[in-house]
Amino acid sequence: MSLALYRRYRPETFEEVVGQEHVTVPLQQALRNDRVHHAYLFSGPRGCGKTTSARILARCLNCERGPTPTPCGECRSCRDLARNGPGSIDVIEIDAASHGGVDDARELRERAHFAPAQSRYKIYIVDEAHMVTSAGFNALLKLVEEPPEHVKFIFATTEPDKVIGTIRSRTHHYPFRLVPPGVVRDYLAELCEKEGVTVEDGVLPLVVRAGGGSMRDTLSVLDQLIAGSGPEGVTYQLATALLGYTDDQLLDDIVNAFAARDGAAVFQVVDRVIEGGHDPRRFVADLLERFRDLVILAAVPDAAGKGLIDKPADQLDRMRDQAARFGLAELSRAADLINAGLAEMRGATAPRLQLELLCARVLLPAADDGSVLARLERLERRLSTGGAPPAVAAQHPPAAQLARQQAEPGGHPVSHQPAGWPPEDEPAGRLATRLTGQRAAGQLAGPATAEPPGPAAVDQAARPGGEAAAAPSPARPGTARPGSRPAAHWPAPAGDGETAVPARPTPVDEPAVPAAQPSGLDTLSVRRMWPQILEAVKHRRRFTWILLSQNAQIAGLDGTSLQVAFVNAGARDRFMSSGSDEILRRALIDVFGADWKIEALVDPAADPSRSPGPGDPGDRGPGPFRGGAPARTPPAGPRSPAGAARPAPAPAAQPGPAPDLAADDPEPPGSAGVAPAPRAVPVAPEEDVPSEDDPDADELGLSAHELLMRELGATIIEEYEND
Ligand SMILES: Nc1ncnc2c1ncn2[C@@H]1O[C@H](COP(=O)(O)OP(=O)(O)O)[C@@H](O)[C@H]1O
Ligand SMILES: [Mg+2]
Ligand SMILES: [Zn+2]
């Protein structure tokens, strides 16, 4: 009968204790310096060398040639305290789990006063010290505080916090740690060689993983594998079967199927998992581990060389290939889904079902937003029947760009959606991206600023095709806000843009920006994107975002420079002195891909929080806190150098409903409110003062925030989205 590995390989010197150098080195140094304390506390997870080290320390202390960091191994004490030695009567091990009571403590206290029989010191190793009762500790307190010259204490515990503070503070505390996988791995390889056992590639990582950083557990696992191995040694097959790990083959198969979006293959693997008697949860845990490895591989190509991944070379090649087929974003998304799925499976009564549903989620990119997906699929169908993609894409480079750069509110970068798609889906994919992006834009203009749909959304609403109209639809309940009244104002069921399509007349196809520059960008279109610009600014710097959203508006764009009007000089100066202009410049690059010079002006009329009642409706345009119909947006007064680009103020030219209402309505009667001609003549702010009964003053068009800001002068500092 052979002795367990962990007993045969119990270290006898500090050098043999692996992975705890942070403890063993200073301990040895203290011995070398002859600065030995009278009480030690060794803490740390189980099986990482605490008891072993306590014994080694005792051996070092009592060696005839000691105290020494390297016991001679020949003297009587050293032989007694060797691995298979009989033990020393002067080194007393107490298992506090069974002897932690006050009586045991008292007995220890009395005996401690007798001098050691044969050795230099009488050494008490109190194992599982956290099990000593507080009465027991109190009985020991005096002794631990001022022990006789010949007495040393070594407490070992997994829970140092449970050792009463008065004792702990009298000890030197050495925290042991779990042993890092790489260290365990090397140790195992060495040990297998000593044992003359052949172990197949890929087995040791499994053993390391099963051991979880505890050396004792790891050695037990290896022991069991060796015991069960035949003449060919420990095979991978034996290891996965015995340890219950999922065979890499199964993982390869399902990952490849995910990469190919081959649903049939995915569910066949699931079937094999179940038929093979594997626990679905175990499988999902292993799948998560695999995706973790793939994420690392995608980010760190040399992950194996750096010791981040421990896999046989051929397996590594396969995984590199898998990682490449996904791309980092998609991998990380899949990993998130699997992680969430694993949590859901805990305690689930139908784990197979859970596993299958999880696979379905991973298979469908961004399937977490069913409405987008549904729309996408419809679009694809339409494309395949020859329908041209709506003009949306062509008219909205900014939104498309936004889609590429901005994560959807749900947190999934939109950009990886098309990435995994087969090339023939490209047009649909691109279009979808734009739509999703616009939808995101709509949401950003909405919940992000808690306002009625931003100008972009309105603009899209007026677009042909209906899909865009559905873009800011209340697909998520969370996006519906008081100000937007979507249900009442979207004529077609907003959740389904498709049905609305045929009903939509084409005339609205007209570009909303008649005076667009060749680049397609003019003051108006930039203003329309103001919510997105602010959002991009917010990602870069909150301070700038607050400053801009509360004090500024776009005044004009003259091709190379963008004028931003601030309500007062203070705001402008803060903007400039804080380097916020640079933040805005970069945000504009983010959103438009255009590098404009930023000019900051002062224009009291630029106050974005100007209320519609007493304020100037003409100034309510592009501010972040309003649902700006593009029509009415002359923020800059005559002082603006770009004043010439200022569009007509709305009221006179606008037969339609109030702009805010227009903002809520995709198709206001008469599209003048949507696509007005900019007026070339600058208009003084005063001219825009509305009459008391101006329809613009309608408070129904105001969101809670606007009301708060208007009535109470509230300032938005930060906003959380709760979905
Ligand atoms: N750091 C280590 N280096 C080498 N072997 C270790 C280490 N830690 C634990 N072991 C192995 O695990 C066994 C149990 O270790 P032990 O010191 O009793 O752990 P614990 O920390 O639970 O007191 C030892 O006999 C030894 O074989
Ligand atoms: Mg122990
Ligand atoms: Zn010795």
Side-chain angles (χ1 to χ4, degrees), residues 81-255:
L81 291 172
R83 199 154 29 218
N84 301 314
S88 157
I89 51 166
D90 293 318
V91 177
I92 303 113
E93 285 193 37
I94 297 166
D95 179 8
S98 49
H99 295 91
V102 64
D103 294 337
D104 300 298
R106 287 203 184 111
E107 192 183 329
L108 188 157
R109 197 172 58 187
E110 271 141 38
R111 289 174 179 226
H113 288 284
F114 297 107
Q118 299 156 345
S119 322
R120 185 174 301 111
Y121 297 114
K122 197 161 191 165
I123 301 170
Y124 288 97
I125 298 177
V126 183
D127 219 340
E128 314 298 334
H130 58 275
M131 301 292 277
V132 177
T133 63
S134 55
F137 272 129
N138 283 323
L140 285 183
L141 198 54
K142 195 93 189 86
L143 183 65
V144 175
E145 190 172 21
E146 284 175 12
E149 273 294 300
H150 61 263
V151 170
K152 301 282 176 204
F153 282 100
I154 307 172
F155 297 97
T157 180
T158 47
E159 294 171 78
D161 294 344
K162 288 198 185 151
V163 176
I164 59 167
T166 38
I167 294 273
R168 224 174 358 165
S169 64
R170 285 163 176 81
T171 62
H172 282 181
H173 186 177
Y174 288 89
F176 286 63
R177 298 192 198 125
L178 288 176
V179 185
V183 177
V184 178
R185 160 79 197 255
D186 293 347
Y187 187 71
L188 291 184
E190 204 178 293
L191 203 144
C192 287
E193 211 178 291
K194 280 190 204 154
E195 289 286 301
V197 194
T198 43
V199 171
E200 200 180 334
D201 254 7
V203 168
L204 290 186
L206 294 181
V207 178
V208 171
R209 197 173 141 199
S214 160
M215 256 323 185
R216 190 199 292 119
D217 292 0
T218 309
L219 293 184
S220 290
V221 169
L222 183 65
D223 225 3
Q224 189 185 353
L225 290 181
I226 294 175
S229 65
E232 70 284 357
V234 182
T235 61
Y236 180 77
Q237 210 272 328
L238 171 74
T240 50
L242 206 62
L243 300 178
Y245 284 129
T246 312
D247 195 317
D248 268 330
Q249 182 69 50
L250 270 181
L251 294 174
D252 283 340
D253 289 352
I254 199 164
V255 169

Side-chain angles (χ1 to χ4, degrees), residues 5-11 16-20 44-53 55 127-128 156 158 176-177 179 187 214-217 219:
L5 272 184
Y6 68 82
R7 290 183 60 194
R8 271 188 287 142
Y9 286 89
R10 186 187 281 278
E16 290 169 32
V17 176
V18 299
Q20 309 292 357
R46 65 204 176 86
C48 61
K50 300 182 299 294
T51 306
T52 304
S53 298
R55 290 183 188 163
D127 219 340
E128 314 298 334
T158 47
F176 286 63
R177 298 192 198 125
V179 185
Y187 187 71
S214 160
M215 256 323 185
R216 190 199 292 119
D217 292 0
L219 293 184

